Amino acid sequence: MTSGDGTPLRVGVFGLLGSGNLGNDGSLEAVLGYLRAEHPGAVVDALCGGPEVVSARYGIPATRLHWYRGEYRTASRAGAVAGKGLGKLVDVLRTAAWVRRHDVVIVPGMGVLEATLPLRPWGFPYSLFLLCASGRLFGTRVALVGVGAAAIGDRPTRALVRWSARLAGYRSYRDSLSRDAMRAMGVDTSRDEVYPDLAFALPTPRAGAPEDPPGRVAVGVMAFHGGNDDRARAEEIHRRYLDGTIRFVRALVDDGRPVRLLTGDACDAPVVAAILDAVDSPLVTASEAASLADLMEEMAAADTVVATRYHNLICALKVGTPTLAVSYAAKSDALMARMGLEAYCHPAREVDADRLLEQFRELEKRTAELRRILTERNAVAVRQLDGQFTALTAAVFPTAAPTHALRETP
């Protein structure tokens, strides 16, 4: 595909990609699949958090998102503070120069318009604002595709997010709650659509192999410390979450169930280590999944899934495994409702191992019924995402005729 002057169309992808979060990378993978299928002539590169990982894994050139390499480390010394401050100024020029080289920039999914986890305004919200403002300045179409949003209490963060959304050339959301949140923040969402999360566009792996142990429970854990407004209670929230999860895993082991511990971000590793230390049993093992495809294979091998991270839930639901959500945000509740499992949510801030075990047993009684429901809902999600990619092509690739159709692997 070419731009108006006959040169290849230049497409950038932007976000905290290659930084250890498997959900973010899965969203990128879905968009790259779309671009390669429908716009094979486009020249694609990335401005992202982990350029080395993105280049090695996806075969595209990538540039570091921040000039200052210590951006996400706490700055306590004067030199670090000065470095961060200078980096914010340098990033204005770096981001503008990168955006200007592109015809289209896509922000693939992710919760880029929310602060459900701890977030500083001058971190990613500032970077997103620079992107969208540069796009408006230079006429580059910036598309926020299938993104998550939520009400934000912190005023500077809310202002940056609101202006980023207003300046973007295209917006779609992964649930109705996200669109409602942006409308409440003063963004005109009258032309914005809602589609399933982009990860539902990824290929579905095979079902569990015969050698997989019967009765396996996949438990997806998270380094959960509450949200942006919970900083004062962060350690208390984390301790309650960890203690409740350990008690739940111990109860499963006492029942003789094999437990497979899963994560969705590199920062979750200490939680896995704490559980393995507390529940010293050969029945408890830890996965080293490095992608959403790996996670889906783990979920497919399980009889049942209990998970916290949003994209752990998506992987489990996509492969049709009955799932119980340890929910830390409304987006998880909305996802479970979309897939027909709204009765199986448990609050991450108040994990009660006894109640969680009760819900788990109720879930397992309906295994066959829930697998049928998930098969039907997944088929609907694939069709809806085909519509998402068709709409994206029409909005930001106006000279192209849509040819894309999602295909499930057998």
Side-chain angles (χ1 to χ4, degrees):
M1 184 176 184
T2 61
S3 57
D5 61 3
T7 60
L9 194 73
R10 299 159 299 179
V11 180
V13 289
F14 176 94
L16 292 177
L17 309 165
S19 301
N21 185 288
L22 301 186
N24 291 359
D25 291 354
S27 298
L28 169 63
E29 187 176 342
V31 165
L32 290 178
Y34 151 73
L35 290 172
R36 287 163 179 162
E38 189 164 346
H39 307 289
V43 177
V44 182
D45 73 314
L47 184 63
C48 60
E52 297 86 359
V53 172
V54 168
S55 291
R57 184 174 296 169
Y58 302 110
I60 61 174
T63 302
R64 186 173 299 279
L65 180 59
H66 301 289
W67 174 79
Y68 181 63
R69 290 177 176 264
E71 173 63 31
Y72 292 106
R73 294 194 296 266
T74 301
S76 55
R77 296 184 178 180
V81 173
K84 276 197 172 186
L86 177 60
K88 298 305 175 188
L89 297 176
V90 174
D91 285 343
V92 173
L93 302 176
R94 292 178 71 252
T95 303
W98 182 82
V99 170
R100 191 175 187 178
R101 295 197 299 268
H102 297 83
D103 301 294
V104 176
V105 173
I106 296 175
V107 180
M110 305 176 285
V112 297
L113 302 178
E114 65 181 49
T116 51
L117 297 176
L119 184 70
R120 297 294 188 188
W122 307 117
F124 187 77
Y126 175 73
S127 299
L128 184 65
F129 171 75
L130 292 182
L131 172 80
C132 296
S134 297
R136 181 62 64 93
L137 178 64
F138 297 117
T140 299
R141 296 183 290 276
V142 175
L144 309 182
V145 182
V147 299
I152 298 173
D154 180 71
R155 292 181 65 182
T157 303
R158 185 171 64 248
L160 287 167
V161 164
R162 180 173 61 245
W163 276 105
S164 296
R166 285 176 173 172
L167 291 168
Y170 174 86
R171 296 180 299 269
S172 65
Y173 306 98
R174 63 190 180 191
D175 53 48
S176 296
L177 291 174
S178 296
R179 182 171 61 183
D180 293 345
M182 294 315 298
R183 183 184 300 121
M185 279 192 264
V187 176
D188 179 4
T189 62
S190 58
R191 294 188 296 174
D192 300 352
E193 297 293 338
V194 173
Y195 300 96
D197 189 273
L198 290 172
F200 281 104
L202 296 172
T204 303
R206 61 173 177 77
E211 64 270 17
D212 291 328
R216 175 187 283 181
V217 181
V219 178
V221 300
M222 178 179 179
F224 180 62
H225 294 79
N228 217 40
D229 297 330
D230 297 318
R231 292 179 182 272
R233 300 176 51 237
E235 287 309 313
E236 173 193 343
I237 289 170
H238 179 65
R239 174 47 56 187
R240 184 164 186 170
Y241 169 80
L242 182 58
D243 288 348
T245 304
I246 288 171
R247 287 187 58 206
F248 175 70
V249 171
R250 187 176 286 129
L252 293 176
V253 169
D254 289 345
D255 285 345
R257 301 292 294 269
V259 175
R260 187 70 160 167
L261 299 177
L262 306 171
T263 63
D265 194 294
C267 69
D268 300 330
V271 178
V272 171
I275 295 172
L276 291 173
D277 185 59
V279 187
D280 185 13
S281 168
L283 288 174
V284 184
T285 57
S287 167
E288 295 183 357
S291 68
L292 287 196
D294 293 344
L295 277 179
M296 282 191 274
E297 289 185 2
E298 294 278 8
M299 304 298 192
D303 285 8
T304 316
V305 173
V306 179
T308 305
R309 278 199 179 273
Y310 184 75
H311 280 91
N312 273 202
L313 296 174
I314 287 177
C315 288
L317 297 168
K318 181 168 172 54
V319 300
T321 303
T323 302
L324 199 165
V326 181
S327 174
Y328 68 87
K331 64 183 179 183
S332 298
D333 298 337
L335 171 65
M336 295 294 283
R338 177 192 282 271
M339 301 302 287
L341 277 76
E342 61 269 26
Y344 301 104
C345 296
H346 189 93
R349 283 174 175 77
E350 299 176 2
V351 175
D352 180 329
D354 294 333
R355 174 57 184 152
L356 188 59
L357 194 61
E358 180 183 333
Q359 289 179 288
F360 172 79
R361 288 168 176 160
E362 291 170 0
L363 178 76
E364 291 209 308
K365 291 177 183 177
R366 297 181 59 200
T367 292
E369 174 193 358
L370 294 176
R371 285 186 180 273
R372 287 194 297 272
I373 291 172
L374 288 173
T375 297
E376 295 169 359
R377 300 295 174 96
N378 274 301
V380 172
V382 169
R383 290 195 298 271
Q384 291 173 331
L385 278 171
D386 192 38
Q388 161 69 99
F389 291 129
T390 299
L392 179 61
T393 290
V396 301
F397 303 103
T399 61
T403 60
H404 181 78
L406 294 178
R407 293 289 182 264
E408 283 287 86
T409 58

